[in-house]
């Protein structure tokens, strides 16, 4: 039997360059966590003046960007922190990473040369200060490209056709429409760009000192890649911008090796010169890897700045809502995903306004209000929402004739506000009733075999209790809430193994026999809720979707 063990005493480093921070997780050869650290953008790099890691453009509704250089500085600061903590960089044999999906970086002509001759006596930030044709990177929160989405859809034969081709209809946050907007509104920036990276491939460029490929999984979040053939789609490229293929470079599988770590990091942090950099991918694909999600019927829910729900499918069946990406750890299957922009920040907003800015108060309100909230339904959109496609706004309804026995024939009327405790329950029930409804529409299991929860809010037992009641299944979690950097470290080990064996190896070979003893073990956090509640939540969900569909007809973008 073939030996799939990792070299003894070796370490595997995974990064997560997310919206609000840059994290690192280091695994040993038994896949246990050795150390981890984080750099928070707002508090530790205050000179960029970000709020929640981004800048909101007051002059352009929905335009949200991040300073590209901030990500460069954060990477170096994080490595310095790990260095101070005593990490032996010489033992790291592979590095990979996760980047917030859909963010894009524009390398100025001549930057490849700069990358290739980085001087370890100077900082990365100072040397790459003028390497970008625009200093601002559009990120996933941006919703200012509606016109470009429609133009690309129309050029290929409609929204459903674009979804069949690329795995998703035109989405404002996707990189293709973002590139088209720059091509149309800042032609000088586009003309001066020699390479366009995603956040994931951008960080891999820094580590290798050369241009890294975009990986197929993150590439699927651009509205530019043919999902079945896994190559750039000529028809979509032509509909997006002139000469785009040359600026994107080639695609690569997520398990492929980009190259060796740049001499800059060997000299400055004493990395082993033979350390390989494995393709970086998006944060959601890395979470899927970190959660060891490999069984159809399981669902993962990530509760972060955005909330996402994802599962695994053997065949891509794109629809008008949701997304299909290649599975980052299995070239033969796909991951399906739904994304909600109003996640943690919207929950925090309600907490600050109605629960004394305290999670303790928020949770006590959630515990003391009864399930179904006495028929109070809330729709909370602090930011333009992706699913459903609704603008900023808050909508509250009370169901007039809600009784414990029946939810049939419900009528609702709109109100201005609820009491504080009801607002708290309404935001939680609203978010997860919507999530359940859309995931069922997309063909995900109902009820799921189990849910694996991750992200910051997965540590909140009161929120998990509501989710288990609404979905009617057990909720598990991994050892760490930040599964993206854990998944990246696991993918570093997986990429190293595939490279070492000269062929693709299923990732489960690394942990199947020992996952209970590793950082990947799942534990039951919350058993399924009261089974009598499930049919009531099902009826409430149907009523909510009816109201939601009406809101989309009148207000939808």
């Amino acid at each position: 039997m073939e030996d799939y063990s990792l070299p003894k005493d070796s370490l595997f480093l995974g990064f997560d360059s997310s919206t609000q921070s840059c994290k690192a997780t280091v695994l040993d050869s038994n896949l246990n966590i050795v150390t981890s650290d984080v750099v928070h953008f707002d508090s530790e790099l205050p000179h960029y003046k970000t709020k929640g890691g981004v800048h909101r453009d007051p002059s352009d509704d929905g335009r949200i960007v991040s300073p590209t250089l901030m990500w460069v500085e954060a990477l170096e600061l994080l490595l310095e922190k790990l260095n101070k903590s005593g990490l032996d960089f010489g033992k790291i044999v592979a590095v990979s990473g996760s980047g917030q999906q859909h963010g894009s970086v524009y390398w100025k002509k001549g930057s490849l040369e700069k990358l290739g001759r980085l001087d370890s006596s100077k900082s990365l930030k100072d040397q790459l200060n003028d390497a970008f044709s625009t200093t601002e990177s559009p990120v996933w929160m941006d919703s200012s490209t509606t016109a470009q989405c429609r133009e690309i859809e129309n050029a290929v034969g409609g929204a459903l056709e674009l979804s069949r081709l690329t795995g998703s209809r035109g989405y404002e946050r996707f990189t293709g429409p973002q590139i088209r907007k720059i091509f149309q509104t800042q032609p000088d920036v586009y003309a001066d760009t020699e390479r366009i990276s995603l956040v994931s491939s951008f960080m891999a460029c820094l580590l290798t000192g050369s241009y890294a490929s975009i990986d197929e999984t993150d590439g699927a979040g651009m509205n530019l890649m043919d999902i079945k053939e896994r190559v750039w789609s000529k028809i979509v490229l032509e509909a997006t911008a002139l000469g785009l293929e040359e600026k994107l470079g080639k695609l690569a599988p997520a398990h492929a090796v980009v190259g060796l770590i740049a001499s800059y990091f060997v000299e400055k942090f004493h990395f082993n010169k033979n350390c390989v950099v494995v393709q970086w991918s998006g944060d959601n694909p890395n979470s899927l890897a970190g959660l060891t999600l490999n069984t159809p019927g399981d669902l993962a829910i990530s509760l972060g700045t955005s909330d996402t729900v994802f599962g695994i499918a053997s065949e891509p069946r794109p629809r008008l809502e949701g997304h299909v990406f290649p599975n980052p750890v299995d070239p033969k299957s796909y991951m399906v995903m739904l994304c909600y922009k109003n996640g943690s920040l919207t929950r925090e907003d309600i907490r600050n306004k109605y629960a004394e800015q305290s999670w303790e108060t928020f949770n006590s309100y959630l515990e003391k209000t009864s399930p179904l909230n006495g028929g109070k339904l809330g729709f909370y959109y602090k930011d333009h929402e992706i699913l459903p496609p609704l603008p900023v706004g808050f909508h509250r309804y009370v169901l007039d004739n809600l009784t414990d026995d029946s939810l049939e024939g419900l009528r609702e009327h709109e109100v201005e506000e609820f009491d504080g405790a009801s607002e708290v329950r309404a935001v939680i029930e609203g978010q997860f009733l919507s999530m359940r409804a859309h995931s069922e529409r997309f063909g995900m299991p109902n009820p799921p075999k189990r849910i694996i929860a991750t992200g910051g809010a997965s540590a909140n037992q009161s929120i998990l209790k509501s989710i288990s009641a609404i979905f009617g299944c057990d909720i598990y979690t991994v050892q760490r809430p930040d599964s993206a950097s854990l998944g990246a470290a696991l993918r570093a080990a997986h990429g190293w193994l595939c490279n070492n064996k000269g062929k693709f190896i299923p990732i489960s070979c690394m942990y199947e026999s020992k996952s209970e003893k590793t950082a990947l073990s799942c534990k039951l956090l919350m058993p399924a809720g009261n089974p009598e509640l499930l049919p009531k939540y099902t009826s409430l969900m149907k009523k909510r979707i009816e109201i939601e569909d009406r809101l989309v007809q009148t207000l939808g973008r």
Side-chain angles (χ1 to χ4, degrees):
M1 202 171 131
E2 207 164 348
D3 178 21
Y4 295 122
S5 57
L6 299 164
K8 230 178 168 45
D9 282 342
S10 59
L11 299 177
F12 301 89
L13 171 58
F15 290 102
D16 175 31
S17 181
S18 67
T19 315
Q20 302 188 59
S21 63
C22 190
K23 303 183 190 83
T25 297
V26 181
L27 294 177
D28 64 16
S29 56
N30 292 316
L31 305 181
N32 283 311
I33 293 170
V34 175
T35 187
S36 62
D37 220 319
V38 63
V39 170
H40 295 281
F41 300 147
D42 293 3
S43 58
E44 294 183 71
L45 299 169
H47 42 285
Y48 292 102
K49 299 187 168 73
T50 54
K51 197 171 176 192
V54 299
H55 292 150
R56 293 166 192 268
D57 187 341
S59 66
D60 186 348
D61 183 40
R63 183 172 178 269
I64 299 177
V65 295
S66 287
T68 309
L69 213 53
M70 177 177 77
W71 299 332
V72 177
E73 193 173 351
L75 175 68
E76 190 143 35
L77 180 56
L78 186 52
L79 286 167
E80 282 164 6
K81 280 187 167 191
L82 289 167
N83 202 21
K84 277 182 192 149
S85 74
L87 176 65
D88 183 351
F89 285 98
K91 288 185 176 176
I92 297 170
V93 299
V95 181
S96 188
S98 148
Q100 56 166 303
Q101 289 195 259
H102 320 298
S104 47
V105 172
Y106 300 79
W107 292 96
K108 191 194 282 188
K109 284 178 178 168
S111 296
L112 180 58
E113 206 184 317
K114 274 190 185 131
L115 264 176
R117 49 178 171 80
L118 292 170
D119 177 350
S120 62
S121 68
K122 298 172 185 162
S123 72
L124 282 180
K125 180 188 129 192
D126 288 347
Q127 295 177 84
L128 297 174
N129 194 22
D130 59 350
F132 312 108
S133 47
T134 171
T135 57
E136 297 177 322
S137 286
V139 293
W140 65 272
M141 294 169 82
D142 184 285
S143 57
S144 67
T145 59
T146 310
Q148 288 77 16
C149 290
R150 297 300 85 82
E151 287 163 6
I152 294 169
E153 286 176 347
N154 293 339
V156 304
L160 190 57
E161 186 53 32
L162 185 63
S163 184
R164 284 197 190 113
L165 263 174
T166 70
S168 305
R169 66 173 300 166
Y171 279 92
E172 281 98 340
R173 70 190 190 283
F174 272 39
T175 323
Q178 297 286 352
I179 292 169
R180 181 160 179 77
K181 186 180 176 189
I182 285 176
F183 171 69
Q184 290 175 328
T185 61
Q186 298 173 274
D188 50 334
V189 167
Y190 185 79
D192 196 26
T193 299
E194 74 178 12
R195 186 65 170 247
I196 298 172
S197 295
L198 295 180
V199 178
S200 54
S201 63
F202 169 64
M203 301 298 272
C205 294
L206 298 178
L207 290 171
T208 55
S210 60
Y211 287 151
S213 293
I214 289 170
D215 88 285
E216 293 164 356
T217 302
D218 213 8
M222 300 174 77
N223 278 138
L224 295 174
M225 187 185 90
D226 182 319
I227 193 82
K228 291 200 172 89
E229 300 301 322
R230 305 190 183 200
V231 293
W232 300 121
S233 165
K234 297 262 188 263
I235 183 173
V236 190
L237 291 182
E238 281 166 22
T240 303
L242 292 175
L244 182 52
E245 188 163 6
E246 200 187 327
K247 295 181 195 286
L248 292 172
K250 295 234 181 323
L251 287 153
H255 62 270
V257 164
V258 183
L260 296 175
I261 193 129
S263 59
Y264 179 89
F265 299 97
V266 176
E267 290 161 18
K268 192 159 194 170
F269 297 102
H270 308 297
F271 273 89
N272 185 315
K273 67 181 190 328
N274 297 316
C275 172
V276 294
V277 178
V278 175
Q279 285 287 155
W280 284 47
S281 192
D283 47 6
N284 293 300
N286 276 285
S287 285
L288 179 128
L291 297 170
T292 65
L293 197 71
N294 50 24
T295 315
D298 286 352
L299 271 194
I301 292 180
S302 174
L303 304 170
T305 313
S306 64
D307 287 343
T308 48
V309 53
F310 39 93
I312 288 173
S314 47
E315 277 301 314
R317 292 196 183 92
R319 291 171 47 101
L320 279 177
E321 59 183 37
H323 315 290
V324 178
F325 300 143
N327 184 337
V329 291
D330 175 12
K332 291 195 175 77
S333 68
Y334 293 82
M335 64 178 279
V336 289
M337 186 177 100
L338 304 172
C339 189
Y340 302 83
K341 197 185 279 192
N342 289 273
S344 290
L345 299 180
T346 302
R347 289 187 284 273
E348 272 175 35
D349 209 42
I350 296 299
R351 178 204 69 176
N352 293 345
K353 201 167 174 190
Y354 298 102
E356 302 162 359
Q357 301 187 3
S358 148
W359 284 118
E360 213 172 302
T361 307
F362 184 97
N363 291 344
S364 75
Y365 283 174
L366 201 48
E367 295 292 345
K368 77 179 188 187
T369 48
S370 58
L372 312 176
N373 209 14
K376 299 186 188 82
L377 280 174
F379 297 76
Y380 299 90
Y381 306 120
K382 183 181 187 302
D383 281 300
H384 290 309
E385 187 47 275
I386 296 158
L387 194 60
L390 283 170
V392 172
F394 299 86
H395 315 276
R396 299 170 177 88
Y397 299 88
V398 177
L399 303 180
D400 295 331
N401 49 346
L402 178 71
T403 66
D404 278 348
D405 308 307
S406 167
L407 292 173
E408 294 302 309
L410 291 172
R411 291 183 306 276
E412 78 283 345
H413 68 273
E414 197 163 355
V415 296
E416 272 297 301
E417 210 169 15
F418 303 139
D419 61 279
S422 298
E423 292 280 359
V424 166
R425 181 163 281 277
V427 72
I428 294 300
E429 287 192 337
Q431 286 180 326
F432 297 107
L433 283 168
S434 177
M435 194 179 276
R436 184 184 148 194
H438 290 290
S439 64
E440 285 178 18
R441 271 187 186 178
F442 204 70
M444 292 189 199
N446 164 40
K449 285 184 189 166
R450 61 175 181 164
I451 286 172
I452 304 174
T454 181
S458 66
N460 187 317
Q461 298 279 325
S462 305
I463 291 176
L464 295 184
K465 196 170 173 184
S466 287
I467 299 173
S468 71
I470 288 166
F471 279 86
C473 68
D474 295 344
I475 297 184
Y476 288 77
T477 189
V478 285
Q479 184 177 322
R480 297 175 62 78
D482 52 332
S483 56
S485 64
L486 173 63
L490 182 65
R491 285 186 46 258
H494 181 230
W496 182 90
L497 191 63
C498 294
N499 189 51
N500 184 257
K501 298 286 183 189
K503 61 180 181 182
F504 177 78
I505 308 286
I507 194 169
S508 54
C509 293
M510 293 195 323
Y511 57 72
E512 235 159 26
S513 60
K514 57 183 181 186
S515 66
E516 290 315 303
K517 301 189 191 100
T518 72
L520 308 169
S521 58
C522 268
K523 66 171 188 197
L524 178 65
L525 257 197
M526 189 64 62
N530 176 353
E532 287 173 22
L533 272 176
L534 190 59
K536 294 178 180 180
Y537 270 126
T538 302
S539 303
L540 195 61
M541 174 187 80
K542 286 175 182 164
K543 185 65 191 174
R544 182 189 169 84
I545 280 294
E546 192 186 295
I547 299 170
E548 185 184 284
D549 287 344
R550 217 164 54 226
L551 285 170
V552 170
Q553 278 166 16
T554 52
L555 305 169
R557 289 178 292 114

